[in-house]
Amino acid sequence: MPEEAVVYQRRIVVASRVGLHARPAGLVAQTAAAQPAKVRIAKVSGGAVGDPVDAGSVLSLMTLGAAHGDEVELSADGAQARESVDVLVELIAKDLDA
């Protein structure tokens, strides 16, 4: 019987004043692309998680529409999912425009 994939998820509030747009989106995408596990990100609205997009894509991050103060959920699976998600959570928790 094949082993089930374990998905690691974390939620974080976007700290950047412009949200995940322009420079912050570029930094998050670049960091996500460098991770060993593929990380997906979704905007949380009213407690409901929206459709996840590839966190390694600047365009996907910008179309997500995550503004300052919005909550997002990051997820990944695989052996290094936790490390990959945690790196991005730490980044999104900072004001990347400062």
Side-chain angles (χ1 to χ4, degrees), residues 69-80:
D70 284 347
E71 186 177 32
V72 294
E73 182 176 277
L74 292 101
S75 61
D77 59 14
Q80 295 177 301

Side-chain angles (χ1 to χ4, degrees), residues 20 23-35 37-42 51-64 72-76 84-85 87-89 91-92:
L20 293 182
R23 184 172 179 269
L27 291 171
V28 170
Q30 182 179 19
T31 303
Q35 298 309 306
K38 182 175 181 176
V39 180
R40 301 191 52 80
I41 184 169
D51 293 330
V53 300
D54 180 3
S57 165
V58 174
L59 184 59
S60 293
L61 288 172
M62 290 174 60
T63 59
L64 193 62
V72 294
E73 182 176 277
L74 292 101
S75 61
S84 298
V85 168
V87 165
L88 290 174
V89 164
L91 189 62
I92 293 170

